[in-house]
Amino acid sequence: MSAVHTGSTPVAPPAAGIIPPKDMAVIWVLLTAAFVAILNETTMGMAIPHLIVDLGITPIAAQWVTSAFMLTMAVVIPITGFLLRRFTTRQMFLGAIALFSAGTLLAALAPGFEALLTARVVQATGTAVMMPLLMTTIMNLVPASSRGRMMGRVSIVMSLAPAIGPTMSGFLLDHFGWRAIFVVVLPIALIAMFIGWRWLTNVGETMRAPIDLVSVVLSAFGFGGLVFGLSQIGGLGKGASWAPMAIALAVGLVGLALFLWRQVRLQRDDDALLDLRVFASKDFSLSMIQMFLLSLAFFGSITVIPLFLQDALQLKALDAGLVVLPGALAMGLLGPLIGRIYDSHGTRILLIPGSILAASMLWLFTTLSVDSSIWLVLVAQTLLSVGLALSFTPLFTASLASLKPKFYSYGSAVIGTIQQVAGAAGIAVMVAVFTAVANAGGGTEVPEAVAAGTRTSVTIGAVIATVTIVGAFLIRKPEDDGADAPVHGGH
């Protein structure tokens, strides 16, 4: 394998804290595209009832509109580490945004369910590339002393898009129908594609290497099987057979084990699809454990709390969305401030209070009942989001900064994969526990049963979050000279 020059920006970021305007232009283009992609990802959940009626399909079939998207993301994200080193920044961006735009157009024009499902898979293929591409580019272009601030802007994208998505989706569904969701997103994606085509420059160097198709297949079976199996857990309490879940999880575990074994073999010659030498960095490994646990607790909890608001406190869907909106907004808007604190003072000043705050709010959620105040939930949800904001930005930055530049793309792929798998696991387990406890108490039509299910399921998240308090003391900020904690074993 050999590196080739592409007329691109050098991999090593400048020592000064000032980012050249042309580099900022690249980052803003990628931020915009990532925002559009994540916004689209969060819009379809509310559309499922409309799809059932308009397309004449069952609820299980309609759920595949989101499940297929999640599965595709789980399969593609692990591959992005290799792709980002094999192809130029322009090639990856234009390919990803073109796939996303094509999928969006196909979805808007879809004559039936099968076409819509295909469109969502195409969309997800492009979406899966966006965040790893954005984070890898930031690490290559931004000086170490400013990375926290820039990663804070990434947190705005990751928080505001999910906050706006359901609200925008609800408005469009009420007034124009589900196709309008794609009609609104498409021109924004096309504008981003034009801007990228016109002004985006290449970053770093590419390498010549054939893609290992065996690894691609094993990755698909491994990560796809795990995510699909986890997604089936929630349906077990509804009389569904356990066999599909067990088979999928077994296939996923075997596929993952074979995938990891093959990567260890291939990385000796720098040919791995996902180079696992990133875990030779202690700070990266600790950050990934912390991120896995936080994602496990967070994604499961934010799925259960809206169910509590609607079924236990009897709020309308729009009102329930407004209760959790301040937390999402706070999480995004605090990103740049948290990033500046990271740049100046490191990780512990953020991670320790962040993990304590998140765990405390989850323990507070374990006391919820049908008599709980809406304002209590709103304040607790907002403070939970603040705690997570204090955690995610330094984890993103410290983990990638602990790697050598040649491993940035693989590190970004690992981050995306861990979030995807942990999120799927957290949602699956906590929704399954919620459903089982609620059904034992009379079903989700009984507010007291819903409250009991919420308390039990959120307790799982609270216990997991409490463990992260220990991890917060162990993770440090790498030195700004970029020479810290190198990953060994490179050729």
Side-chain angles (χ1 to χ4, degrees):
M1 172 183 310
S2 60
V4 294
H5 293 278
T6 56
S8 57
T9 305
V11 170
I18 299 175
I19 306 171
K22 68 173 185 176
D23 291 348
M24 277 305 305
V26 172
I27 292 171
W28 278 114
V29 169
L30 296 178
L31 276 170
T32 302
F35 179 85
V36 175
I38 297 174
L39 180 68
N40 165 80
E41 186 178 355
T42 60
T43 55
M44 290 309 294
M46 295 185 67
I48 287 176
H50 295 258
L51 296 175
I52 293 171
V53 175
D54 292 352
L55 300 179
I57 55 179
T58 65
I60 294 177
Q63 191 63 47
W64 270 101
V65 173
T66 54
S67 297
F69 195 98
M70 182 173 65
L71 273 172
T72 305
M73 292 275 287
V75 171
V76 176
I77 287 176
I79 304 173
T80 58
F82 174 88
L83 296 178
L84 290 173
R85 294 199 67 206
R86 176 64 178 81
F87 300 100
T88 67
T89 310
R90 281 176 59 85
Q91 289 172 334
M92 288 299 295
F93 172 77
L94 293 175
I97 197 69
L99 281 170
F100 177 81
S101 300
T104 304
L105 177 62
L106 178 58
L109 301 175
F113 172 69
E114 292 78 9
L116 178 61
L117 193 63
T118 302
R120 290 289 286 170
V121 170
V122 175
Q123 272 191 324
T125 304
T127 301
V129 176
M130 292 298 183
M131 287 306 296
L133 176 60
L134 172 61
M135 288 194 289
T136 301
T137 302
I138 286 176
M139 294 303 298
N140 279 322
L141 292 183
V142 178
S145 59
S146 301
R147 285 173 181 162
R149 176 167 53 88
M150 196 57 62
M151 285 295 184
R153 296 181 182 179
V154 175
S155 74
I156 295 179
V157 169
M158 297 184 65
S159 303
L160 290 186
I164 295 170
T167 305
M168 182 191 82
S169 176
F171 174 80
L172 294 174
L173 288 166
D174 288 343
H175 294 85
F176 304 104
W178 61 268
R179 295 180 191 275
I181 296 173
F182 303 106
V183 172
V184 168
V185 169
L186 180 59
I188 305 174
L190 292 175
I191 291 171
M193 181 165 62
F194 173 77
I195 294 174
W197 170 77
R198 181 68 179 80
W199 285 290
L200 192 68
T201 56
N202 291 323
V203 175
E205 297 178 342
T206 59
M207 63 180 186
R208 290 194 181 100
I211 191 167
D212 183 55
L213 294 180
V214 175
S215 293
V216 173
V217 173
L218 292 175
S219 173
F221 278 110
F223 295 106
L226 283 178
V227 171
F228 177 75
L230 290 168
S231 70
Q232 301 302 299
I233 293 176
L236 293 181
K238 303 172 185 176
S241 171
W242 58 268
M245 179 202 73
I247 293 171
L249 289 176
V251 169
L253 289 172
V254 172
L256 181 61
L258 292 173
F259 174 79
L260 297 177
W261 170 78
R262 188 164 180 83
Q263 302 322 294
V264 172
R265 293 277 309 271
L266 292 174
Q267 69 192 22
R268 298 171 186 170
D269 300 314
D270 278 352
D271 289 337
L273 194 68
L274 183 63
D275 201 310
L276 301 179
R277 286 174 293 182
V278 293
F279 290 104
S281 164
K282 176 185 174 183
D283 286 322
F284 183 85
S285 299
L286 289 173
S287 296
M288 290 304 97
I289 294 171
Q290 189 85 344
M291 189 170 293
F292 181 86
L293 294 174
L294 282 171
S295 298
L296 202 66
F298 172 59
F299 287 108
S301 299
I302 63 171
T303 302
V304 170
I305 295 304
L307 298 176
F308 169 80
L309 291 169
Q310 294 178 70
D311 296 333
L313 299 188
Q314 303 292 299
L315 294 185
K316 295 181 179 178
L318 178 59
D319 294 332
L322 291 175
V323 170
V324 299
L325 180 61
L329 293 175
M331 193 173 181
L333 296 176
L334 285 172
L337 172 61
I338 292 169
R340 284 194 289 271
I341 294 172
Y342 168 88
D343 289 333
S344 302
H345 302 289
T347 59
R348 292 176 184 174
I349 194 173
L350 297 167
L351 286 176
I352 293 171
S355 57
I356 292 173
L357 185 58
S360 299
M361 291 306 102
L362 287 172
W363 281 115
L364 180 59
F365 279 141
T366 65
T367 67
L368 292 176
S369 70
V370 293
D371 298 319
S372 295
S373 167
I374 295 173
W375 291 103
L376 172 67
V377 180
L378 187 150
V379 172
Q381 175 71 17
T382 302
L383 291 176
L384 170 63
S385 298
V386 171
L388 291 164
L390 290 169
S391 301
F392 279 129
T393 296
L395 285 175
F396 283 140
T397 315
S399 60
L400 290 176
S402 68
L403 304 176
K404 285 183 177 179
K406 66 177 284 189
F407 292 102
Y408 287 159
S409 63
Y410 297 114
S412 299
V414 169
I415 290 173
T417 302
I418 282 178
Q419 282 196 311
Q420 199 72 23
V421 174
I427 292 171
V429 172
M430 293 178 70
V431 169
V433 171
F434 168 86
T435 304
V437 174
N439 287 341
T444 54
E445 296 79 14
V446 180
E448 290 79 6
V450 171
T454 302
R455 289 192 297 269
T456 305
S457 59
V458 175
T459 299
I460 299 172
V463 171
I464 294 170
T466 302
V467 177
T468 67
I469 296 175
V470 177
F473 286 89
L474 303 177
I475 299 167
R476 65 178 181 85
K477 178 189 178 187
E479 297 297 327
D480 284 346
D481 62 9
D484 55 294
V487 174
H488 301 288
H491 293 274

